[in-house]
Every structure is written in structure tokens, then in C-alpha cells.
Amino acid sequence: MRKKNRFIDAFNGLWFVFKNESNFKIHVGAFILVVLLGFYFRIERWEWVAVLLCSLLVFMSEIINTAIEQLCDYIQPQNDERIGLIKDIAASAVFISAVIASVVGVILFLPHIIKEIQCLV
């Protein structure tokens, strides 16, 4: 029996989510934008920690949501009200994490943006 490479398995799972979940691509795009803004505004170390932790929360929520959706589809390929509710609950975790990450982003970046605008005026 061939020994499995856990790193490759994990990368394959991540690649599956990236290829198949349009929301994950949106989250990746938002993350890239936030990182660029962080460099532009030269945010503090604690701000980087907040950005990275919030991003981690969103990414993990989306990945776990995708895993739950895949499992539900495998268990019950037909439409089922109970499976739909399970998927909705899992999706709500992504929604909550994205809302909280957005609020943290506004709290962190709005003062920098206001300062930048004031310098331009």
C-alpha cells in the first residue's frame, strides 16, 4: 500500500475549493486587496495580525462549508429539505465570518483612508 502524502492531499483539497467555489475566489481577491492596502498604508504589526486572523477565519469557514456541502451531496444527491437546512447553516458560518472580517477591515483601514483623503485635499 502506497503511503499518502498529506501535504499534497491538503493542496488538492484547497485547489478543489479554489476551482469550484466562486465565493472562495472572491475571498482570495479581497485578501489580496487587503494585503496590498496593508502595505500601502504601512499598517502596524497588530493590524496585520487582525487582518491575517480574520482572513484565516473566512478561508477556513469557506473550506469547511465546501466540505459539508460535498458530504451532503454525496449522502443525499436529491433535493432534501433537511440537507438544504444543513447547507444553509454551514453557509451562515461563512457569512458571519465575512461580515466580521469586513467590519474589522473598516475599523482598521477607514482611519488610514480618511487621512489619505485629507492629505489630497
Side-chain angles (χ1 to χ4, degrees):
M1 188 161 145
R2 186 172 85 85
K3 187 175 179 180
K4 293 188 78 165
N5 186 325
R6 302 281 184 217
F7 180 77
I8 290 174
D9 293 343
F11 183 79
N12 287 338
L14 183 60
W15 183 246
F16 176 88
V17 174
F18 183 78
K19 277 191 337 191
N20 295 289
E21 295 296 323
S22 58
N23 286 340
F24 193 78
K25 292 175 188 169
I26 293 169
H27 296 312
V28 169
F31 176 71
I32 291 168
L33 176 63
V34 167
V35 167
L36 292 173
L37 285 172
F39 283 122
Y40 178 78
F41 290 123
R42 295 187 173 113
I43 62 176
E44 299 290 327
R45 189 176 310 148
W46 70 269
E47 293 171 311
W48 277 115
V49 170
V51 164
L52 293 174
L53 286 175
C54 285
S55 299
L56 171 70
L57 179 63
V58 173
F59 287 140
M60 287 187 66
S61 298
E62 188 67 59
I63 291 167
I64 292 168
N65 177 54
T66 301
I68 291 170
E69 286 180 350
Q70 290 294 311
L71 181 60
C72 286
D73 290 345
Y74 178 75
I75 291 170
Q76 179 54 273
Q78 276 69 38
N79 282 341
D80 182 293
E81 192 174 301
R82 296 167 298 175
I83 293 292
L85 178 60
I86 292 167
K87 288 179 171 185
D88 291 347
I89 293 168
S92 72
V94 180
F95 175 74
I96 294 295
S97 66
V99 168
I100 295 299
S102 298
V103 170
V104 169
V106 168
I107 291 169
L108 289 179
F109 287 107
L110 191 59
H112 294 289
I113 293 169
I114 290 171
K115 189 188 297 183
E116 187 78 14
I117 291 171
Q118 287 173 342
C119 288
L120 294 173
V121 176

